[in-house]
Amino acid sequence: MNVYDFDKTIFPTDCSIDFFIWCMKRHPKLCFTFAPKVVKNLIMRKIGKMPEYLMQREFFCYLTLIDDFDEQIERYWDKNEKRIAPWYLAQKRPDDLIISASPDCIIGPIAKRLGVNFMATEFNRKYGVFLHNLMYAQEKAQYMIDHGFPKIDHFYSDSLSDTPIALCAEKAYLVKDKARTIVDWPDLDEETLSKVYEKVDTGWNVHLDE
């Protein structure tokens, strides 16, 4: 089984942010009712006043405001499916697993189109809450272990934060340049490890009851 991150790995950008922009263009009221909150939270995160997981939780609340979500997400993927990296399509297998921190309601439709398995952050659009931990960093590896997934042959990701799951694979690759360049996962020397710790220790890996 091969495992792939999604955003900036087999898709060149962050689909959750892209979809937010897509929705703002089609529902301009979001520009006035929700976008200012996003900007404020970004500033709060930048100055260290808001943890990453809380900023993400607040951001994804926009999904509760899209009355025609089912229509919009299909239209979004109708237009953007072609942006999936050609190198991935050339090697895609039916037992591939996409694993993403983006909400499952965004990742699910494209995974279905690709005909592959997926796991993503479970998000309840009705109440605007995450049902489980954000699927980030070591949470990805722990989730796979807990659910008894088979051995990983190859793993691809754009972020060193995914080192915990890269270590579970027979071979891991780092993807760069907006899903265009693939290199071997770097050796975990002192400098690389410091980058890994910085990436992982962002306040994401918390339980919802904390």
Side-chain angles (χ1 to χ4, degrees), residues 3 18 31 38 41 45-46 56 59 71 77 97 104 114 116 134 148 150 152 160 163 166 191 200 202:
V3 178
D18 285 355
C31 298
V38 173
N41 288 345
R45 173 60 186 148
K46 185 72 173 179
Q56 295 292 334
F59 172 67
E71 175 186 352
W77 286 123
L97 175 66
D104 52 357
L114 293 171
V116 299
L134 286 161
I152 302 171
L160 289 175
T163 293
E191 180 181 356
V200 173
T202 60

Side-chain angles (χ1 to χ4, degrees), residues 65-82:
L65 306 175
I66 312 301
D67 294 335
D68 58 345
F69 174 85
D70 292 335
E71 175 186 352
Q72 292 300 338
I73 193 62
E74 292 300 333
R75 290 177 59 193
Y76 171 79
W77 286 123
D78 284 344
K79 181 175 178 63
N80 289 281
E81 182 178 359
K82 63 186 178 183

Side-chain angles (χ1 to χ4, degrees), residues 1 20 23 55 91 102 122 144 166:
M1 179 180 72
F20 175 59
C23 289
M55 184 186 74
Q91 67 185 45
S102 290
E122 295 183 45
M144 294 189 70

Side-chain angles (χ1 to χ4, degrees), residues 151-169:
K151 180 180 70 174
I152 302 171
D153 297 314
H154 300 95
F155 175 65
Y156 298 78
S157 175
D158 70 298
S159 177
L160 289 175
S161 67
D162 284 329
T163 293
I165 195 169
L167 294 174
C168 297

Side-chain angles (χ1 to χ4, degrees), residues 186-210:
D187 293 331
L188 297 181
D189 54 29
E190 185 175 346
E191 180 181 356
T192 302
L193 278 173
S194 66
K195 294 179 181 178
V196 171
Y197 293 141
E198 181 181 356
K199 291 281 188 180
V200 173
D201 186 22
T202 60
W204 282 70
N205 189 36
V206 297
H207 293 276
L208 296 180
D209 56 357
E210 290 183 348

Side-chain angles (χ1 to χ4, degrees), residues 16-189:
S16 297
I17 295 175
D18 285 355
F19 186 62
F20 175 59
I21 295 171
W22 171 279
C23 289
M24 282 200 300
K25 290 179 179 179
R26 286 147 185 84
H27 298 282
K29 65 179 182 180
L30 290 175
C31 298
F32 306 99
T33 61
F34 195 79
K37 180 180 179 180
V38 173
V39 174
K40 177 184 176 182
N41 288 345
L42 284 170
I43 295 173
M44 294 290 286
R45 173 60 186 148
K46 185 72 173 179
I47 63 177
K49 297 294 185 179
M50 176 177 283
E52 183 76 18
Y53 82 93
L54 182 56
M55 184 186 74
Q56 295 292 334
R57 183 185 296 175
E58 294 277 333
F59 172 67
F60 288 127
C61 284
Y62 83 85
L63 296 170
T64 68
L65 306 175
I66 312 301
D67 294 335
D68 58 345
F69 174 85
D70 292 335
E71 175 186 352
Q72 292 300 338
I73 193 62
E74 292 300 333
R75 290 177 59 193
Y76 171 79
W77 286 123
D78 284 344
K79 181 175 178 63
N80 289 281
E81 182 178 359
K82 63 186 178 183
R83 299 175 64 204
I84 297 291
W87 64 264
Y88 169 67
L89 296 176
Q91 67 185 45
K92 180 172 69 73
R93 301 186 338 197
D95 64 341
D96 285 348
L97 175 66
I98 289 174
I99 181 168
S100 176
S102 290
D104 52 357
C105 57
I106 294 178
I107 296 296
I110 187 63
K112 181 179 180 179
R113 291 175 182 228
L114 293 171
V116 299
N117 303 310
F118 80 97
M119 60 184 189
T121 298
E122 295 183 45
F123 182 79
N124 185 307
R125 288 196 298 109
K126 181 177 180 180
Y127 297 106
V129 296
F130 292 112
L131 302 181
H132 297 288
N133 292 352
L134 286 161
M135 196 57 61
Y136 183 79
Q138 60 263 48
E139 286 297 328
K140 293 181 179 180
Q142 188 60 53
Y143 186 93
M144 294 189 70
I145 292 170
D146 290 346
H147 288 73
F149 284 105
K151 180 180 70 174
I152 302 171
D153 297 314
H154 300 95
F155 175 65
Y156 298 78
S157 175
D158 70 298
S159 177
L160 289 175
S161 67
D162 284 329
T163 293
I165 195 169
L167 294 174
C168 297
E170 290 292 316
K171 179 69 175 178
Y173 301 91
L174 194 64
V175 182
K176 302 180 177 181
D177 302 327
K178 296 184 178 181
R180 290 192 295 265
T181 303
I182 303 171
V183 299
D184 289 342
W185 202 268
D187 293 331
L188 297 181
D189 54 29

